[in-house]
Amino acid sequence: NILMVQYLKANELWLAISYITNVLPIALTSRWWGKQINRYGNMRVMAGAAAGMGVYCFLASLSPNMFFYCLFNLIGGFCTAGINNCLLTGLLENTPDKERVLYIGVYNTFMNISLAVSPLLAHRILLSTDIYRTMWITSVLRIAAAALLYLAYVLQNRKNKKAAETP
């Protein structure tokens, strides 16, 4: 992470602590996220988790040192668990049993493409600006995605209510 190494001067210990503060909430909150999905629905929970990822990115950009970065990293890990649970739940709910293996393969392929392309795009933005503006742009894009997910949730609920009211 460019912010941690170049700007916050993280050493190996801080990199390890950063990793732990990101992974620990994922391990500890995955079950909680599943309960939220069952209670509120996948789309609504995903919108919240995506908004949290946007807030996390913004807060991380404000970190004056590695202590605060790691503190904010707890939020990132928490929201990452939500996104992962929502994506997997959505995949399993919407794929036919007969072709589930094929769908999971396609899903993993697209996820890996996204994981390869995203850092390249972020680096391209970084070349034309600085690390802070790059993180703010990323934050805005994540919050915009969350807003679109929430809008889709609202529209889907309206459609379902109208369908239920129609005799």
Side-chain angles (χ1 to χ4, degrees), residues 4-167:
M4 287 191 298
V5 175
Q6 289 184 359
Y7 291 85
L8 301 178
K9 307 299 183 204
N11 58 23
E12 290 83 5
L13 177 62
W14 277 113
L15 291 173
I17 293 169
S18 171
Y19 177 77
I20 291 166
T21 59
N22 189 266
V23 172
L24 193 60
I26 293 171
L28 295 177
T29 64
S30 289
R31 183 171 291 218
W32 181 85
W33 280 107
K35 290 178 184 175
Q36 300 313 303
I37 291 168
N38 289 335
R39 185 174 180 185
Y40 297 108
N42 202 44
M43 191 77 81
R44 183 174 173 186
V45 172
M46 188 180 297
M53 289 298 291
V55 170
Y56 155 68
C57 193
F58 179 73
L59 290 174
S61 74
L62 300 178
S63 300
N65 55 44
M66 281 303 297
F67 174 79
F68 283 98
Y69 183 86
C70 290
L71 192 65
F72 297 141
N73 220 13
L74 293 168
I75 297 168
F78 175 73
C79 294
T80 297
I83 294 288
N84 289 342
N85 272 306
C86 288
L87 289 173
L88 186 58
T89 299
L91 176 69
L92 295 176
E93 285 179 351
N94 295 299
T95 56
D97 290 337
K98 191 170 144 183
E99 298 174 346
R100 184 160 286 159
V101 173
L102 172 65
Y103 282 88
I104 291 171
V106 170
Y107 165 83
N108 283 326
T109 300
F110 282 119
M111 286 301 291
N112 287 325
I113 290 169
S114 171
L115 290 171
V117 171
S118 296
L120 297 174
L121 292 174
H123 183 70
R124 183 72 183 140
I125 295 169
L126 180 61
L127 292 176
S128 62
T129 185
D130 61 26
I131 188 70
Y132 301 105
R133 285 190 184 100
T134 300
M135 292 183 74
W136 298 337
I137 290 167
T138 301
S139 196
V140 167
L141 291 173
R142 288 176 176 182
I143 291 172
L148 289 174
L149 285 167
Y150 190 75
L151 177 64
Y153 163 76
V154 169
L155 293 175
Q156 183 181 32
N157 276 356
R158 281 187 191 165
K159 182 180 175 183
N160 291 343
K161 279 185 181 179
K162 284 182 182 178
E165 291 172 357
T166 304

